Amino acid sequence: MIILKLLRSLSIFVCLVYLVSCKTAKLASGDKKIETNKPTSSALSEAAELQFGRAFIDGCTARQKNDVDAAIKFFTECKQIDPKSAPVAYALAKIYLEKNSPLLAIEQAKFCAASDLKNEYYQKILIDAYNANKQFQQAIKVAELLVKNFPNVIEFKEDLAIQYAGVNEFNKAFNLYNEIEKIYGFNEQITNNKVKLLRNQNKFSEAEAELIKLTETDKLNTDYLAILAEFYEEAEKRDKAKLIYDRILEINPSHPTVNLALSDYYNLQQSPQKGFEFLKKAFQNPDLDPSVKANIAFNYYIRSEKSGNPETIKQGKELANIFITVHPKNSDANGVFADYLMLDNKPKEAAKFYYQAAASEKSNYKVWEQLMYVYNDISNFDSLKSVSLKAIELFPNQPNPYFFNGISNIKLKKYDQAITALKDGLEFVIDNKVQMLSFYYNLAEAYNYSNDYTNSDKAFEDALKIDSDNTLVLNNYAYYLSVRKSKLDIAEKMAKRSNELQPNNRNYMDTYGWILFQQKKYVEAEVWIANALKIPPPNANILEHYGDVMFKLNKTSDALKYWQEAKKLSGGNDKLNLKISSKEIID
């Protein structure tokens, strides 16, 4: 029997250690550790002792595995074996609170709390249960008893003060904080709590006095002064706040948050230039959180982009330059600096800083996306391919990395790779018709270049299902059909529609003329291509087409002239060179 009792005591101890491991009390210096009394229990038979011990350990094991239902089952079994076990009641109360069953929690918490008035954990679980049931006065009574039993434990007094404040018993809460202050001296947190209580009662002067007392405990403590200044700001006593800010800067001229506050102050005083000088000082301090600098710098960029105001742009650039100088490896600093380079139309330089931003913050998708846009704009397709592949690895569910990988592979004439990327990316396009159309259009282009005309036509048609009046899709689809001399009637209709939607586009005019040429309508073709030629600058492809029309109209000398002009512009190709040398079109 002795061995069984030891087993039972050990099982209870092990589970209690687990249950309270995250709830260590904050004891005052010199206080003795609070002992947990042994639970009162019924006299059990040897078999019952063994059954209880096993069930208790099983309950603890289930708790550790977060199998709450199993834990309740085992602890309830323990309760049936020994209804007077306080640790079992404590374990069940804790579980019921976590399951948001506060009434069941109260029943168990009352039992364990009554079994040992000096057990802090039992009392605190009852307080938690009462609070969960919004029985705040009952919770206060237990908290008062806890303070009475452990008068030197500051945590219990702080908790009771919070309970008082919760039921608007502000004076009782305030007196408790005063007691704590008398024992342990001035404390920033205690002062803040007292100030909150006073402000809830609209006692501005008393709250102010408490903060002034705190600052006088250490006149060189800028944190205390900053709390007082913030108090004045919230109370809209900005002149008083300004005086405190000046005191802080006398102690620490580079204080970042104070310089920010003074920047706001002078802006409100209609002195924006002076405000900007304090803002620069804040930016120059490496201790100011880079995320704060990023928000301010980005807001300047948005304003610069929208307004085009030279002064705003100048100030934004200055802040961006300070930001990257102080934090050269920071992703936001590099990103904002790159944004301003883009505003200056310097995309190649911007790409370097976007790359640094992406490299230093791999989880920032927006930076990676911006980098891909820039590489595409400057036609750096090797880098675009490399970066888009990395972006696919980092952000596999984002469609744009696949899109840019497809674009880069088309430009690099890796058509099979482009097709794979674009098809993969399409799976992640959701409720975005513009984006989906772009995927289908470029997929059609890739299929066309790889001579898979069936899939190319299908992709073009899928794009037109989304937007039947997209001029680029209409024109290119029509042109590719004309080159293949396929579905020329359909091609003519599409080319005609693109010219109706966007007149005076020389490429669209040339496409329509070329389709007429393929239909052997040479006189009509000459009109359209001639008009396309009138729109500068000269284009080799249009010149060659016009030469072909001249040839079919039996104007061989004119044809030769335009073919030669086309060769000067483009350097020529085998087909064009053969026309020039043979002075005829050889199909």
Side-chain angles (χ1 to χ4, degrees):
M1 181 65 87
I2 293 173
I3 293 174
L4 289 173
K5 285 182 177 179
L6 286 172
L7 173 62
R8 186 177 180 206
S9 297
L10 178 62
S11 68
I12 293 172
F13 171 75
V14 169
C15 196
L16 277 176
V17 167
Y18 169 72
L19 290 168
V20 304
S21 61
C22 296
K23 297 196 67 171
T24 54
K26 298 176 184 174
L27 302 179
S29 177
D31 289 340
K32 293 182 180 179
K33 183 178 179 182
I34 299 170
E35 298 290 341
T36 302
N37 294 347
K38 293 181 180 179
T40 306
S41 181
S42 310
L44 301 178
S45 67
E46 183 176 336
E49 288 276 4
L50 185 59
Q51 185 182 357
F52 180 96
R54 286 173 177 167
F56 204 91
I57 290 174
D58 287 343
C60 293
T61 302
R63 285 285 284 133
Q64 288 174 309
K65 294 179 178 178
N66 292 321
D67 189 347
V68 176
D69 292 335
I72 291 174
K73 173 189 170 187
F74 288 122
F75 287 134
T76 302
E77 183 182 340
C78 291
K79 192 78 174 173
Q80 291 168 349
I81 298 168
D82 184 0
K84 295 183 178 180
S85 174
V88 170
Y90 177 82
L92 285 169
K94 195 170 179 65
I95 291 172
Y96 286 137
L97 276 178
E98 292 172 5
K99 279 178 65 69
N100 198 26
S101 302
L103 288 173
L104 292 173
I106 279 185
E107 180 185 347
Q108 300 300 326
K110 278 183 177 179
F111 180 86
C112 66
S115 74
D116 189 351
L117 298 179
K118 293 288 184 77
N119 186 306
E120 61 170 297
Y121 299 110
Y122 292 174
Q123 305 309 314
K124 290 176 79 173
I125 198 73
L126 181 55
I127 292 169
D128 290 342
Y130 277 135
N131 283 327
N133 276 285
K134 298 183 179 180
Q135 294 176 248
F136 303 120
Q137 291 298 339
Q138 291 91 325
I140 285 173
K141 288 178 182 178
V142 181
E144 288 173 337
L145 181 63
L146 201 56
V147 168
K148 181 179 177 181
N149 287 333
F150 303 100
N152 295 323
V153 181
I154 188 173
E155 177 196 358
F156 298 158
K157 289 185 178 180
E158 287 180 311
D159 289 345
L160 179 56
I162 292 169
Q163 291 277 163
Y164 282 143
V167 295
N168 296 330
E169 294 189 33
F170 299 122
N171 288 335
K172 285 185 177 182
F174 194 82
N175 291 336
L176 263 180
Y177 286 129
N178 277 338
E179 282 182 32
I180 296 169
E181 220 168 44
K182 285 177 184 176
I183 299 170
Y184 299 104
F186 283 99
N187 174 283
E188 179 183 331
Q189 186 58 52
I190 296 299
T191 298
N192 281 334
N193 289 340
K194 290 170 73 176
V195 168
K196 286 178 185 176
L197 290 172
L198 292 166
R199 293 192 69 176
N200 282 336
Q201 301 170 81
N202 295 317
K203 295 181 178 179
F204 175 84
S205 297
E206 291 90 333
E208 179 185 25
E210 289 293 333
L211 288 172
I212 290 173
K213 278 195 294 184
L214 179 65
T215 62
E216 288 174 350
T217 63
D218 184 355
K219 293 185 178 182
L220 296 179
N221 189 319
T222 57
D223 290 337
Y224 292 171
L225 288 168
I227 293 170
L228 178 57
E230 185 179 354
F231 170 77
Y232 286 136
E233 286 277 10
E234 290 174 357
E236 296 187 358
K237 304 286 184 181
R238 293 194 176 90
D239 289 339
K240 284 191 171 186
K242 167 68 166 52
L243 293 174
I244 301 301
Y245 290 142
D246 289 341
R247 282 177 59 187
I248 294 172
L249 290 185
E250 287 176 10
I251 300 166
N252 179 8
S254 64
H255 196 290
T257 53
V258 170
N259 278 301
L260 276 181
L262 283 170
S263 175
D264 290 339
Y265 173 82
Y266 282 110
N267 285 331
L268 289 170
Q269 296 296 317
Q270 304 302 315
S271 299
Q273 191 56 46
K274 197 165 185 179
F276 184 69
E277 291 304 315
F278 280 102
L279 182 57
K280 285 197 297 182
K281 287 180 183 178
F283 264 63
Q284 288 161 357
N285 191 323
D287 294 332
L288 180 62
D289 190 336
S291 66
V292 174
K293 295 178 182 178
N295 285 334
I296 295 170
F298 187 69
N299 283 333
Y300 261 87
Y301 172 73
I302 295 296
R303 286 161 53 197
S304 299
E305 193 176 36
K306 285 184 177 179
S307 69
N309 184 294
E311 184 62 21
T312 305
I313 294 171
K314 178 186 172 185
Q315 290 182 342
K317 286 180 182 177
E318 200 168 348
L319 290 177
N321 191 56
I322 295 170
F323 192 10
I324 199 167
T325 300
V326 177
H327 306 281
K329 294 184 179 179
N330 181 273
S331 175
D332 290 326
N334 280 276
V336 172
F337 192 75
D339 287 340
Y340 274 101
L341 287 170
M342 289 295 290
L343 204 60
D344 276 346
N345 197 27
K346 297 178 179 177
K348 288 185 179 179
E349 292 89 335
K352 298 174 186 177
F353 291 95
Y354 282 131
Y355 183 85
Q356 178 63 37
S360 59
E361 183 50 80
K362 290 185 168 57
S363 63
N364 189 341
Y365 171 71
K366 288 297 181 184
V367 172
W368 285 86
E369 188 174 62
Q370 186 63 31
L371 179 59
M372 289 185 286
Y373 274 114
V374 174
Y375 277 147
N376 185 55
D377 288 346
I378 63 177
S379 301
N380 187 343
F381 299 114
D382 286 317
S383 294
L384 179 59
K385 179 177 181 177
S386 175
V387 166
S388 60
L389 281 172
K390 184 63 178 177
I392 288 170
E393 179 185 329
L394 293 170
F395 313 100
N397 296 327
Q398 290 286 352
N400 267 350
Y402 297 92
F403 177 76
F404 282 115
N405 188 256
I407 293 291
S408 62
N409 277 307
I410 289 173
K411 298 297 183 180
L412 296 171
K413 300 183 179 181
K414 306 288 185 182
Y415 304 121
D416 289 343
Q417 294 177 37
I419 290 166
T420 299
L422 292 167
K423 286 173 67 178
D424 288 345
L426 263 173
E427 297 179 15
F428 302 104
V429 180
I430 300 170
D431 297 330
N432 189 331
K433 290 184 177 180
V434 173
Q435 192 175 47
M436 188 171 288
L437 186 145
S438 295
F439 268 88
Y440 279 126
Y441 168 74
N442 283 283
L443 195 56
E445 294 279 317
Y447 276 126
N448 178 73
Y449 290 130
S450 60
N451 300 323
D452 185 346
Y453 303 126
T454 300
N455 278 316
S456 177
D457 290 356
K458 182 180 182 305
F460 273 124
E461 286 158 12
D462 286 336
L464 289 172
K465 286 176 186 176
I466 297 169
D467 181 2
S468 61
D469 280 341
N470 185 285
T471 55
L472 181 64
V473 176
L474 287 167
N475 176 78
N476 285 25
Y477 187 20
Y479 182 72
Y480 292 144
L481 290 175
S482 72
V483 170
R484 288 154 36 201
K485 300 179 182 179
S486 173
K487 306 175 188 175
L488 290 177
D489 290 342
I490 295 172
E492 182 188 0
K493 290 177 182 177
M494 289 192 293
K496 185 178 181 181
R497 181 60 178 157
S498 65
N499 277 282
E500 289 171 350
L501 292 167
Q502 192 174 329
N504 300 319
N505 181 309
R506 67 174 185 173
N507 291 323
Y508 297 174
M509 294 161 70
D510 175 65
T511 296
Y512 188 57
W514 187 245
I515 292 168
L516 294 170
F517 176 88
Q518 298 289 40
Q519 292 176 318
K520 304 186 187 310
K521 299 175 182 178
Y522 304 124
V523 174
E524 294 174 64
E526 190 274 336
V527 173
W528 279 90
I529 299 177
N531 285 331
L533 269 180
K534 292 175 184 177
I535 301 173
N539 178 280
N541 195 50
I542 299 174
L543 285 165
E544 184 178 354
H545 284 170
Y546 196 65
D548 290 357
V549 173
M550 291 293 100
F551 180 82
K552 291 296 184 180
L553 292 173
N554 298 315
K555 298 179 180 180
T556 306
S557 60
D558 287 337
L560 187 60
K561 170 190 167 185
Y562 286 106
W563 288 337
Q564 287 171 336
E565 286 184 23
K567 182 176 180 179
K568 286 179 185 178
L569 278 179
S570 66
N573 55 63
D574 291 344
K575 191 173 182 181
L576 178 59
N577 291 335
L578 184 59
K579 290 177 187 177
I580 294 170
S581 62
S582 63
K583 298 181 182 180
E584 63 177 322
I585 298 174
I586 301 174
D587 294 326

